[in-house]
Amino acid sequence: MSKKSPLLKSELIGWALAIVGIASLIYLVLTGKLGMYVHPRYTLFTTAMAIIALPLIISAAARRQRAQQAQPNRSSALQTVGGFIALLLVVPLVLLPTATLSTDRALSTSNTPISGSSTPAAPPASDIADENRTVLDWAQELATGADATALAGRSAKLLGFITPDPDVPEDFFRLNRYSVTCCVVDAQAVFVTVYAPDWQKDFTAGDWVQLSGYFASSPSAETAAATVLVLDTITPGLEPANPYLTTDGSGL
């Protein structure tokens, strides 16, 4: 039996990595964790492509192996580098656990002059009851220009994680969620500014909380938000299995 050429060995590693990558993708679908990477609207498409690609790759690898054994070629440094890059791409997907984007990223992406959102505002979801609205829904409404007068008498019950208000951190904090348009790569932090004097006595940046409150004009001219959520109740909250929000209401 002839020995496999270096090129064949390199290609077999590449095919194996591709198969492992697709199998890992299917695993994410089956465990419901694909939403940690892509928008839920792409789950069906991604699943279908993975199911189609897996047998095609296996078949192509087998044919290539037979052809390479018949006409062996020499390996190249470029193919070795390509295999190494593939290894770097696939190994983290397989071995590293899924994790939410960090609080630090929210701090860096939420510093926007438009009160309430670091992403382009969408029309307010008027058909959603106030008690069912998310941080994203309220952030979009605030970004469209809704002020304390327009929101008078309206209250919110929200789940999100805390970051300090950059202007008045002792009296205000931002309740954040990440909003996804296509996939986690384009995730942006959206927030509602909450008036809660001395909040740091009980909570720290990054804590997930469940809170309720009502909208009013900001009692401080120092914060960038003209309209804030005045805190009524707040309790520790649990990070959702899929912490990302989307404009179509999924990922709640």
Side-chain angles (χ1 to χ4, degrees), residues 24-243:
S24 299
L25 184 62
I26 295 174
Y27 168 78
L28 291 175
V29 173
L30 295 177
T31 57
K33 294 181 179 180
L34 186 63
M36 296 286 286
Y37 297 93
V38 300
H39 192 292
R41 74 165 69 99
Y42 300 120
T43 297
L44 181 59
F45 173 79
T46 304
T47 304
M49 291 299 99
I51 293 174
I52 293 172
L54 186 58
L56 290 178
I57 287 178
I58 294 174
S59 175
R63 289 197 304 270
R64 179 57 179 161
Q65 180 179 4
R66 291 192 295 268
Q68 183 61 36
Q69 288 174 331
Q71 296 180 347
N73 297 314
R74 291 182 302 175
S75 183
S76 69
L78 181 61
Q79 288 158 340
T80 301
V81 171
F84 180 71
I85 293 175
L87 184 66
L88 291 179
L89 293 175
V90 172
V91 168
L93 178 65
V94 177
L95 298 182
L96 296 181
T98 54
T100 314
L101 296 175
S102 68
T103 302
D104 291 338
R105 174 165 174 174
L107 286 169
S108 65
T109 58
S110 293
N111 55 351
T112 168
I114 301 176
S115 174
S117 178
S118 60
T119 57
S126 57
D127 57 334
I128 303 176
D130 285 355
E131 61 269 21
N132 295 328
R133 289 192 172 199
T134 66
V135 171
L136 175 60
D137 297 324
W138 288 114
Q140 289 176 333
E141 182 147 359
L142 289 166
T144 60
D147 58 14
T149 301
L151 298 178
R154 298 176 68 179
S155 58
K157 295 181 180 179
L158 301 172
L159 172 68
F161 63 92
I162 292 175
T163 57
D165 183 281
D167 301 313
V168 197
E170 67 275 9
D171 291 334
F172 297 84
F173 65 78
R174 289 174 172 177
L175 188 70
N176 303 264
R177 291 291 294 268
Y178 278 105
S179 171
V180 172
T181 301
C182 175
C183 59
V184 176
V185 173
D186 65 31
Q188 295 290 326
V190 293
F191 64 89
V192 172
T193 300
V194 180
Y195 177 58
D198 300 324
W199 64 270
Q200 292 165 322
K201 290 182 179 179
D202 300 310
F203 299 96
T204 60
D207 285 349
W208 280 81
V209 296
Q210 183 87 47
L211 60 78
S212 65
Y214 61 92
F215 290 98
S217 297
S218 175
S220 172
E222 296 182 54
T223 185
T227 302
V228 300
L229 187 70
V230 179
L231 185 65
D232 184 13
T233 64
I234 183 170
T235 57
L238 295 176
E239 179 180 342
N242 182 359

